[in-house]
Amino acid sequence: MKVFINKRIPEMGITMLQEAGLQVIFPENENLTYEEWLKYCQNTDAILSIGGDFKYDKAFFDACPNIKAIALYSVGFDHVDIKEANQRNIPIGNTPDVLSRATSDVAFLLMQSVARRASYNFEKVKQGNWGAFDPLHALGQELYGKTLGVFGLGRIGFQMAEKCKKAFDMEIIYHNRHPNEEAERELNATYVSFDELVRNSDVLSVHANFTPEHKDLFNQSVFDKMNPNAIFINTARGGFHQEADLYNALIDGKIWGAGLDVTNPEPMSADHPILELSNVCVLPHIGSATIEARNGMAQLAAGNIIAFSRGEEMPNCANPEVYSLHSS
Ligand code: DGY
């Protein structure tokens, strides 16, 4: 079975595939155009897919009828049309759990960086502008005893909430599709409506899976309701927030600061005015960028492909329903 991998991943994943007897194909150049990418995908059975630049939609599946399985090198699968994959009996693997700690670390880091204006102050130092001690300049805020609101309290949201509870004794409120009993028991988290989450959070951190209904959910009308001391954190997907509205909310003082590991679009343009603000920290989507998380992702993604090649169910599958849909 041929497996196309569009970028190098940690070696252990590649070795696993080769030791399982699979033929691994890499592109000559990793920066593929859509047409070049399609050509590789048309000549392969399975893809170990890195990045979200190209969509797995009807047009893709129609153009690549030989594809039988896709193992994503990500937990998020918002770039895959799951309905189309299901119709074609294509399992979509993903990489949950192994990146939860690393991604929640980045949410926690952004929260503190914004609260203490770390990026702004670091920039000043780099520009030779250390400045004299000033009792009033660019003050931060402390997080002790404040309220963390989690939108989407799953694996990553839980770890962010746990860190905030342990480090700063923060109150945890959350909004989810379903209550999270473990978080209520272990973190004393309280389920609230979306409106209560928005109004009562001192830090609002987004951790949900992105679906089309979530597009621009955090927009002007939501920022208007937030506490002017609130910090907005997004490490999930840039599509959750309306970026122009976020910028306006920051300069109008509707909210206090923002920390983003995801932007809309990505990459964010280097001359985006939000980057000029002292109460903002933007990172280039590095949530899972640790050696540990990336090794774990390589193992899970390779494991999904190997299971598929043996006629088994993928152990980490974003569309497990695919296995019952066509079984009769
Ligand atoms: C994920 O795993 O979904 C990360 O955001 C990388 O895309």
Side-chain angles (χ1 to χ4, degrees):
M1 192 179 100
K2 284 192 208 167
V3 183
F4 171 55
I5 310 188
N6 59 308
K7 283 188 182 173
R8 295 300 298 190
I9 58 169
E11 213 47 44
M12 58 174 61
I14 299 164
T15 308
M16 279 171 69
L17 294 170
Q18 288 168 336
E19 285 180 352
L22 302 175
Q23 184 187 347
V24 179
I25 298 158
F26 288 103
E28 276 172 32
N29 155 20
E30 291 191 350
N31 297 317
L32 297 175
T33 63
Y34 184 68
E35 286 66 33
E36 290 167 337
W37 181 67
L38 276 186
K39 273 204 185 117
Y40 280 105
C41 296
Q42 280 160 346
N43 292 306
T44 190
D45 303 294
I47 313 171
L48 198 159
S49 173
I50 295 105
D53 292 346
F54 302 129
K55 307 278 170 237
Y56 291 110
D57 54 10
K58 182 172 183 322
F60 170 83
F61 290 120
D62 284 348
C64 303
N66 295 328
I67 293 295
K68 298 165 196 71
I70 299 174
L72 304 175
Y73 190 74
S74 66
V75 65
F77 49 90
D78 48 297
H79 54 311
V80 182
D81 186 331
I82 293 288
K83 215 168 126 218
E84 290 290 334
N86 282 347
Q87 274 171 14
R88 291 164 164 85
N89 201 17
I90 298 177
I92 307 293
N94 70 342
T95 61
D97 292 324
V98 289
L99 45 65
S100 300
R101 194 161 60 188
T103 306
S104 61
D105 283 347
V106 167
F108 191 71
L109 176 157
L110 285 168
M111 174 181 76
Q112 291 189 83
S113 171
V114 173
R116 298 304 302 271
R117 301 185 197 262
S119 304
Y120 164 76
N121 281 303
F122 182 42
E123 206 51 47
K124 276 179 57 185
V125 174
K126 283 198 288 182
Q127 287 169 6
N129 184 19
W130 185 288
F133 179 86
D134 181 340
L136 295 178
H137 178 68
L139 302 185
Q141 59 164 309
E142 298 187 13
L143 297 163
Y144 298 89
K146 299 246 167 109
T147 297
L148 170 74
V150 179
F151 181 75
L153 204 158
R155 288 172 280 235
I156 301 173
F158 185 94
Q159 295 216 14
M160 168 65 169
E162 189 177 41
K163 287 184 226 300
C164 290
K165 183 104 197 149
K166 288 187 175 159
F168 297 119
D169 198 20
M170 291 172 81
E171 293 292 322
I172 312 297
I173 59 175
Y174 73 102
H175 183 74
N176 255 15
R177 273 173 308 170
H178 307 291
N180 184 320
E181 284 167 19
E182 187 191 2
E184 295 190 5
R185 196 176 54 245
E186 293 188 14
L187 305 175
N188 206 17
T190 307
Y191 181 92
V192 294
S193 68
F194 182 69
D195 196 61
E196 288 171 304
L197 184 88
V198 165
R199 291 183 189 279
N200 298 332
S201 297
D202 296 310
V203 176
L204 200 164
S205 193
V206 182
H207 295 285
N209 285 329
F210 184 75
T211 60
E213 309 85 74
H214 288 130
K215 177 98 185 85
D216 294 340
L217 177 66
F218 293 90
N219 57 29
Q220 188 197 336
S221 67
V222 169
F223 295 128
D224 280 351
K225 289 182 199 161
M226 285 173 72
N227 157 4
N229 283 322
I231 296 173
F232 176 76
I233 303 292
N234 189 359
T235 53
R237 285 292 180 267
F240 274 108
H241 64 260
Q242 214 295 335
E243 219 142 88
D245 289 359
L246 175 61
Y247 174 70
N248 289 332
L250 288 162
I251 55 170
D252 293 344
K254 300 280 183 192
I255 64 172
W256 197 82
L260 307 176
D261 186 43
V262 288
T263 61
N264 185 15
E266 287 181 14
M268 176 178 263
S269 152
D271 59 6
H272 196 299
I274 208 167
L275 297 173
E276 298 296 317
L277 304 179
S278 70
N279 46 353
V280 166
C281 180
V282 180
L283 298 175
H285 204 145
I286 58 158
S288 66
T290 64
I291 295 164
E292 294 82 355
R294 293 283 163 90
N295 282 344
M297 292 162 74
Q299 282 175 304
L300 291 197
N304 276 336
I305 297 274
I306 293 167
F308 174 79
S309 73
R310 293 178 177 155
E312 296 162 12
E313 294 190 6
M314 286 186 176
N316 293 284
C317 191
N319 59 338
E321 65 278 8
V322 76
Y323 294 114
S324 45
L325 285 174
H326 304 267
S327 58
S328 56

